[in-house]
Amino acid sequence: MEKKYYPTIGLEIHAELSTNTKMFCGCKNDPDEEKPNVNVCPVCMAHPGALPVINKKAIENVIKVGLAVDGKIADFTEFDRKNYFYPDIPKGYQISQYKFPIVSGGHLADFDITRVHLEEDTANNKHPEPEQARYGAGDRGGYSLVDFNRAGIPLMELVTEATTFQSDEEAAKGSTKFAKELQLILWYLGVSEANMEKGEMRVEANISVSTDLKKLGTKVEVKNLNSFRSVERAIKYEVDRMIKLVEEGKGSEIVQETRGWDDGKQKTFSQRKKEGSADYRYFPEPDLPKMKLHEAFDLEKIEKELPELPQAKRARYKKDFGIKDEDIESYINEPSLGAWFEEVAKILKNKDQIKIASNYVTTDFIGLRAKSEVKLPSVGNFAELINLVSENKISSRVAKDILAMIAKKTNSKDESPMKIATEKNLLQSSDTGALKEIAKKIIDASPKVVADYKGGKEQALMSLVGQIMKETKGSANPAVTKQVLIDLLK
Ligand code: ZN
Ligand code: MN
């Protein structure tokens, strides 16, 4: 029997908080600033004698995240110095948190959360290629530049417990789901833009595999995961790499190290052997006060004022609207669309109409948006459209056409679907007389289809319905048309 391998994953996620100012100074926190070294001051440039001051808003934001994931907010918390040398860390240490993080415990998706703490982001090192050289003709690049705009931006770090999965696929998917869910929470709380492509949210994964559930394998840390797709692919790649080494009897080649993810080659690669936390010589930051969070903040008030979070919203949409999970995810991932849809639902009469409406949003509107410039129609007009189609006053084909008209971005008028349908003569007639005439004509012209139907081929009838729909430019009601045909062919 083939051996079963259990991948174990622990995640470390860093997210830049979108405060107005940096973590320990009054410099602007502007991730979009393109000019280097403009949002800087003696504190974030580490000039001797400059003293840090805590940004209270950043702490409040981490408290919100802690509450959102059911973590415990520490009573006592403090900052520590994490010592290491690198050009992007001008003080020679990063102000971080070690023994007393702001949040301990919590849960999200498939992972238990160990802690959430606050630290400062580093500067940005840039290594210009020769073609990006900026000092004239003799400049062949090959040097490094440091941009301190990012130095000192508040950075939240969330660490999960190691979680064991049943397969490489599950490990990759479960980890990606966690990262997506955390991003949603950060958005809903309004504490971070968490844009992975811009490096505002960065994922690292600690990965090991084992054939024994009681014993973890050697762990490798994979860094540089800057998209959800990279998270998923890198974890699957690394788990598979480790399994293969073990299978080939080369398990000892798995060493504790930091690996990077090469998005071009779709491979992980060895970067450096991992330092232990002892190497950082953590010690409490003497220039900052210790904090008692339960005294410094009104935690009850913060909790009461938390917005509705994704999980609660999912449950509410399911209960109130009875719509499909897929539809719900469209609204969860795009809260402004969800808010608009909630307004539409308020006007509609019942769950059946709400389901029809949701179909037109998630299939037709989103489909249109993928192909052309559209805007959301007014809530009233969209609800009117759904009324018309659900009461069979217009056919679904006409409804789609009218939706395309009222959603067109260049259409500045906000026209009523009823008015459009009336003017363009698209309303379905309740009078079956006219329909009967057309049906007779089609029956006479299609002897073979009629014979098929009479011979017991039910679906032949749909071919006749289709022809009538074509003849009436979609304004015939399919159900009524079908009935008219059945009566005529008796
Ligand atoms: Zn500064
Ligand atoms: Mn960190």
Side-chain angles (χ1 to χ4, degrees), residues 31-46:
D32 297 323
E33 177 57 66
E34 280 176 12
K35 202 162 178 267
N37 297 311
V38 289
N39 294 323
V40 294
C41 75
V43 174
C44 54
M45 297 281 280

Side-chain angles (χ1 to χ4, degrees), residues 431-481:
D431 158 35
T432 53
L435 206 52
K436 252 185 200 159
E437 288 310 309
I438 297 168
K440 273 184 196 157
K441 215 173 73 190
I442 300 281
I443 287 172
D444 287 344
S446 326
K448 179 160 185 319
V449 184
V450 170
D452 283 350
Y453 172 70
K454 288 191 168 165
K457 265 197 186 170
E458 282 287 322
Q459 67 268 42
L461 194 66
M462 291 323 289
S463 151
L464 296 172
V465 172
Q467 290 188 56
I468 294 173
M469 296 301 288
K470 212 169 156 193
E471 185 77 22
T472 59
K473 297 193 173 66
S475 73
N477 177 331
V480 176
T481 307

Side-chain angles (χ1 to χ4, degrees), residues 154-412:
L155 192 63
M156 181 197 96
E157 179 175 338
L158 181 149
V159 182
T160 76
E161 292 290 299
T163 301
T164 301
F165 291 89
Q166 296 295 315
S167 70
D168 55 350
E169 290 271 320
E170 278 183 35
K173 291 220 153 71
S175 303
T176 312
K177 188 174 138 202
F178 179 90
K180 282 187 179 165
E181 203 59 23
L182 179 66
Q183 184 188 56
L184 279 178
I185 286 178
L186 297 173
W187 284 349
Y188 276 55
L189 294 172
V191 302
S192 173
E193 302 288 324
N195 181 329
M196 288 188 78
E197 274 72 24
K198 282 164 81 178
E200 292 165 345
M201 180 166 128
R202 317 194 273 268
V203 177
E204 294 160 32
N206 287 303
I207 304 170
S208 64
V209 297
S210 173
T211 51
D212 178 357
L213 278 174
K214 289 187 209 80
K215 216 175 83 206
L216 292 182
T218 303
K219 86 176 175 192
V220 157
E221 183 175 350
V222 179
K223 288 192 182 237
N224 308 340
L225 303 176
N226 53 15
S227 70
F228 292 122
R229 196 202 291 199
S230 303
V231 172
E232 189 169 339
R233 294 196 175 164
I235 290 176
K236 180 156 189 315
Y237 177 90
E238 186 59 21
V239 169
D240 293 348
R241 185 186 74 92
M242 290 174 159
I243 292 175
K244 197 161 163 256
L245 283 172
V246 177
E247 291 269 280
E248 288 169 353
K250 295 187 216 154
S252 61
E253 284 180 27
I254 302 173
V255 290
Q256 190 166 332
E257 63 180 342
T258 300
R259 296 177 72 86
W261 170 246
D262 186 325
D263 214 26
K265 293 190 184 132
Q266 298 276 300
K267 276 180 170 182
T268 62
F269 60 93
S270 179
Q271 280 184 318
R272 61 187 149 93
K273 304 292 169 252
K274 179 88 181 135
E275 3 5 42
S277 64
D279 299 330
Y280 291 122
R281 307 269 179 238
Y282 279 101
F283 67 88
E285 165 62 66
D287 290 340
L288 288 170
K290 324 263 172 210
M291 281 171 296
K292 294 207 155 177
L293 295 178
H294 292 252
E295 285 169 22
F297 292 89
D298 187 343
L299 298 179
E300 263 173 49
K301 181 162 176 278
I302 295 175
E303 181 152 30
K304 241 191 359 233
E305 287 172 3
L306 288 183
E308 183 181 38
L309 293 165
Q311 208 41 32
K313 192 178 263 189
R314 284 187 184 103
R316 180 166 63 85
Y317 281 7
K318 190 147 190 97
K319 180 169 164 285
D320 291 358
F321 303 152
I323 53 179
K324 284 181 289 187
D325 288 348
E326 262 176 276
D327 287 14
I328 292 175
E329 285 317 298
S330 301
Y331 303 128
I332 294 293
N333 290 316
E334 196 180 341
S336 59
L337 187 66
W340 175 86
F341 183 72
E342 283 185 39
E343 293 304 308
V344 171
K346 275 184 203 159
I347 307 180
L348 296 172
K349 294 186 190 103
N350 52 44
K351 274 193 187 174
D352 286 334
Q353 279 202 333
I354 292 174
K355 278 186 208 167
I356 293 170
S358 190
N359 236 333
Y360 277 91
V361 177
T362 56
T363 314
D364 300 292
F365 178 77
I366 291 180
L368 282 170
R369 190 169 67 177
K371 289 183 296 195
S372 56
E373 295 261 300
V374 291
K375 58 167 195 258
L376 278 169
S378 73
V379 167
N381 279 339
F382 184 76
E384 185 177 299
L385 181 74
I386 300 307
N387 270 319
L388 288 173
V389 69
S390 65
E391 287 166 2
N392 284 322
K393 289 187 180 136
I394 55 174
S395 69
S396 62
R397 211 193 86 186
V398 166
K400 285 175 209 230
D401 290 346
I402 294 181
L403 177 61
M405 285 179 230
I406 61 176
K408 204 180 211 171
K409 200 161 197 176
T410 49
N411 188 355
S412 55

